[in-house]
Structure formats: structure tokens, C-alpha cells
Amino acid sequence: MDYNATTPVDSEVLGAITASLTGAWGNPSSSHEAGLAAKSIIDEARENVARMVGAKTSDIVFTSGGTEYFHKSHDRQNGVDFSKGDNTDSLPHFITSNLEHDSVKLVLEHFAEEGLAKVSFVPASQTTGCVEVEDIVSSIRPTTCMITVMLANNETGVIQPIKEICERVQQINANRRNQPPILLHTDAAQAIGKINVDVLDLDVDYLTIVGHKFYAPRNGAIYVRNLEEKGAPLYPMLYGGGQERNYRPGTENTAMIAGLGKAAELVVQNLDKYQKHMEEVRDHLEVRLMEEFGDNIHFNGKFDTSSRLPNTCDKVLSKCNIVQASVGAACHSQNRASPILLAIGVPDSIARNALRLSVGRETTLSDIDFVISDLKQAVQYLQNQA
Ligand SMILES: Cc1ncc(COP(=O)(O)O)c(C=O)c1O
Ligand SMILES: O=C(O)CC[SeH]
């Protein structure tokens, strides 16, 4: 019950990984047969990942995972020079939400602490669990170089208004004079494989893809709009043998890329089925929780006017025997109330008891019965201890 933390590798994905480890172990940069076999697997995987998010194949760069995608430029990025920190008014300005995963939040905090950039952390609305478009737009300054807001939150499952934000910002970009356009990034880690994600529909410049959230191995990729055509800028964090067009050098991890590509192919083929199943099971879970615990349950991710991922249910509890879940994001220390829940207005006393349940593709209705009975015995245990 913790599929937002990570997912198992799909059996077909494992097959693709195994096949490439045995049949395509060559160096993809080698021009001989073994190298060409590996390169063709990588090319096919790139096509499948691009298809999954509605991108051009050449706009996809493979990475080691979701955390490896966000950094400052070592050069003038988008007309803004990070190295010139002497005049703080000219510092590049970033806008983000207070709901972001640490792989975005901590990078921007670092930029600010190091005097490399100014950052606006826009608070999400406590009535919608979303960051409001107008609050993002009103934070824009002449020095704003990038806006990054996650597509769906990993704890609440609430889907953020990325398309609406991009629509407004592109209108502003069209009227910007003497300033480069504001770049738009979204962290789609929790959305891919659960809802349809289309980079052109969203109209973003960058989109983060995290394999281990959609039954792929723990690598990832980033979408960069019109990368080949020098569209959105991308600066390497590493220097080496020229792989990934010098954007992400290092001999390619063919097997993991093969797995990512197969998982992407499965999403393209089965997303509707996955989404419907997860939604059915999650909704059944919430019905049963209400039946069993009534007013003792507080659903932290349900807002009347906000959409949410089909698999996520954030609520309360801790003494379970069978259920494995997170009391917030897996990578956060568990002995504190989730900052995300506090940010959307969940009272500390409730946030401290939150339990995030996230179902997966194979979670069944009978699994839910186990979950409910385990939660019930946990509640009884806690009540007896009280
Ligand atoms: C929303 C979100 N963004 C980014 C990440 C980071 O991805 P990775 O663990 O592959 O670095 C995760 C999960 O770990 C996540 O849930
Ligand atoms: O568990 C999550 O929310 C993702 C890993 Se921090």
C-alpha cells in the first residue's frame, strides 16, 4: 500500500532488462555488432518514453532518476547569468510551490542560500490543496527565469494546475520585451503511469520522468522541449564521453534504459486500464474506511474542487501488522508531521497521525479487506493502550 514510494518492476520490464543484459551487453558507442545491438535498444526505449509523454524522440535525455534533473546553469541560461551574484536585483528568480519534492525544493533553497538566485515558494491553497495560478502569476518579476511546480503531489495525490499555469505564463512570455521567456518545468514523477501526461498539452519546457514510479527500474529521463533545435536550454552536470549528446555523458546503462522503455510501452498500451483499476480499488478503500472508522477518518487529499491521482489516499494510523505504507513521503523522517500536510492546512495533531495509502496495478479488492481489518486491529490496539 505504498506505491507512491516505489513500484515493483513489471514482469515484462524484467524480461526486457534480462534480455538486454545477455543479448546486448556491448558498449552502445561501439560501431561493431554488439555495440549496435545495444544502441538499437536505447533508441527504441527513447521512442517509447517519448511516445508515453507525447514528445519528440530527440527531446528525451536519459538520467539516473528523478533527482538528477535540476541544477543551475554554468553559463548564461536563458539570458540570465548565475555567476553574476554581485547585484541581487539582477539575480535570476525562480518560482515554485511549497508542495515540491525535496529534489526540487532543496535545490532551490540551495540557490537562495548561496546567493545564486531569488526564489518564491508560493504557498498552496488550503481549500484546494493546489497552488493557485494567480498566486504563481503574481509572483513573476522581470528577473523570473523559471517556474517549476509538480504535476501531482506524492503525499496527497492532488493534481496541480500545470496546464493553466503554462497558458498564463506563455501569454506573459509573448509580451515580454528585452527579457528571455520564463522557462516552465514540472516534476511528473507521481503522475506518469497513473494519468495521461502530454508535454504539448501541458506546454512545458521540461518534464521529469521517474522510472520506479511506473514499474520501471530506478532510472529516469527528462523531457526538454526542442532540445535538438536549441529550444529550451539544457546544461550538463557531468562531462565525459559524449553520450546522450553530451547532456548526460557516461556509458549508457542499457539494461535499465531497456526497462524504462518497456515500462513506457506498457503505459502507452494500458494506461486507461491501470487508471480505472487503481481508482476502483482506492475508492473502495475509502468507502470501507468510512464504513469502519466513520468520523475518526480525515482524508487529507480530498478537495471538492481539485482532481487527484487515482491511487492515493492520505489518512491516519500506525499500529498495523500487515499493511506497509508511509506516514508521508518515504524519504522524509517519519517522526514529524508531514510539511506537505501542514502546508495544505491539515492540523498538526492530524498530520502527525497521517498514513498515506497508495494502491498499485495489482492491488485487489480483497487486499483492501486485509488492509481494513489490519487498520481496525491497529485502532483497537491503540485505543486499549490509551
Ligand atoms: C514527486 C517526486 N519527485 C521526485 C522524486 C525523486 O525521484 P528519484 O527517487 O528517482 O530520485 C520522487 C520519488 O522519489 C517523487 O515522488
Ligand atoms: O514516498 C514518496 O512520496 C516518494 C519518495 Se520520497
Side-chain angles (χ1 to χ4, degrees):
M1 298 299 285
D2 200 15
Y3 291 92
N4 283 7
T6 194
T7 60
V9 169
D10 183 280
S11 57
E12 290 188 58
V13 171
L14 184 59
I17 293 170
T18 309
S20 72
L21 281 171
T22 52
W25 48 268
N27 186 321
S29 299
S30 301
S31 55
H32 51 56
E33 186 182 343
L36 294 174
K39 187 177 183 307
S40 69
I41 283 177
I42 289 170
D43 292 345
E44 183 183 359
R46 200 185 311 273
E47 288 168 12
N48 283 324
V49 171
R51 192 173 300 116
M52 176 176 70
V53 295
K56 294 201 302 287
T57 300
S58 57
D59 289 350
I60 299 296
V61 177
F62 291 117
T63 64
S64 64
T67 297
E68 181 204 327
Y69 65 82
F70 208 89
H71 71 107
K72 67 177 174 59
S73 72
H74 299 288
D75 197 337
R76 287 193 70 78
Q77 172 168 335
N78 187 28
V80 180
D81 189 331
F82 285 93
S83 59
K84 294 281 182 287
D86 46 355
N87 171 2
T88 55
D89 292 343
S90 67
L91 279 177
H93 176 238
F94 289 80
I95 299 172
T96 190
S97 80
N98 66 346
L99 300 174
E100 303 301 311
H101 184 268
D102 281 352
S103 59
V104 170
K105 175 189 168 194
L106 298 184
V107 172
L108 294 175
E109 285 182 351
H110 170 76
F111 285 177
E113 285 156 14
E114 296 294 306
L116 297 168
K118 295 283 189 185
V119 184
S120 298
F121 292 91
V122 177
S125 156
Q126 299 189 355
T127 54
T128 64
C130 289
V131 68
E132 298 297 321
V133 178
E134 285 313 316
D135 292 345
I136 294 287
V137 171
S138 62
S139 302
I140 292 173
R141 311 173 182 174
T143 52
T144 301
C145 65
M146 179 179 274
I147 295 171
T148 175
V149 176
M150 67 192 337
L151 184 49
N153 182 265
N154 45 313
E155 295 191 36
T156 65
V158 176
I159 297 169
Q160 301 300 311
I162 302 307
K163 183 174 178 176
E164 294 77 5
I165 289 170
C166 291
E167 277 171 3
R168 288 293 306 281
V169 174
Q170 298 300 14
Q171 289 164 0
I172 292 165
N173 278 338
N175 298 314
R176 263 198 160 193
R177 297 286 173 268
N178 306 321
Q179 290 144 341
I182 298 167
L183 295 166
L184 294 153
H185 167 261
T186 190
D187 169 1
Q190 293 288 346
I192 290 177
K194 299 168 189 167
I195 59 173
N196 184 52
V197 175
D198 184 300
V199 291
L200 299 183
D201 183 54
L202 293 171
D203 200 11
V204 291
D205 296 297
Y206 308 92
L207 182 135
T208 301
I209 297 163
V210 180
H212 69 101
K213 308 295 182 180
F214 61 97
Y215 296 75
R218 294 193 180 144
N219 56 335
I222 188 159
Y223 158 77
V224 184
R225 189 196 326 242
N226 296 329
L227 181 60
E228 285 296 282
E229 301 78 13
K230 301 295 178 209
L234 185 68
Y235 297 86
M237 288 195 283
L238 304 170
Y239 295 87
Q243 295 87 354
E244 288 299 278
R245 295 163 281 170
N246 276 307
Y247 292 114
R248 211 303 185 164
T251 301
E252 298 89 340
N253 194 337
T254 307
M256 296 304 110
I257 290 171
L260 192 75
K262 173 56 76 174
E265 186 181 14
L266 293 173
V267 169
V268 170
Q269 293 168 350
N270 304 295
L271 180 61
D272 286 350
K273 182 179 77 172
Y274 295 157
Q275 187 171 355
K276 286 191 177 73
H277 173 76
M278 289 189 279
E279 203 153 42
E280 178 196 1
V281 173
R282 190 276 314 275
D283 290 350
H284 176 66
L285 167 67
E286 293 188 339
V287 165
R288 292 287 296 112
L289 286 167
M290 284 302 290
E291 287 170 355
E292 207 57 54
F293 301 107
D295 294 341
N296 290 328
I297 283 285
H298 179 285
F299 291 110
N300 300 319
K302 288 178 88 169
F303 297 88
D304 295 342
T305 58
S306 303
S307 304
R308 57 180 177 143
L309 293 175
N311 78 317
T312 306
C313 163
D314 193 289
K315 26 147 327 299
V316 192
L317 296 179
S318 61
K319 283 286 176 203
C320 294
N321 299 323
I322 307 169
V323 173
Q324 299 177 72
S326 296
V327 290
C331 52
H332 278 161
S333 66
Q334 309 309 343
N335 59 354
R336 61 173 179 155
S338 158
I340 301 299
L341 297 184
L342 297 176
I344 60 171
V346 175
D348 185 84
S349 59
I350 291 180
R352 283 184 176 282
N353 292 293
L355 180 62
R356 180 194 64 191
L357 299 176
S358 43
V359 302
R361 295 173 187 173
E362 293 81 20
T363 308
T364 64
L365 296 180
S366 61
D367 289 335
I368 298 304
D369 294 338
F370 270 115
V371 169
I372 295 297
S373 60
D374 195 24
L375 292 173
K376 192 174 171 184
Q377 65 78 25
V379 170
Q380 284 162 356
Y381 174 87
L382 293 169
Q383 285 170 339
N384 296 342
Q385 295 299 309

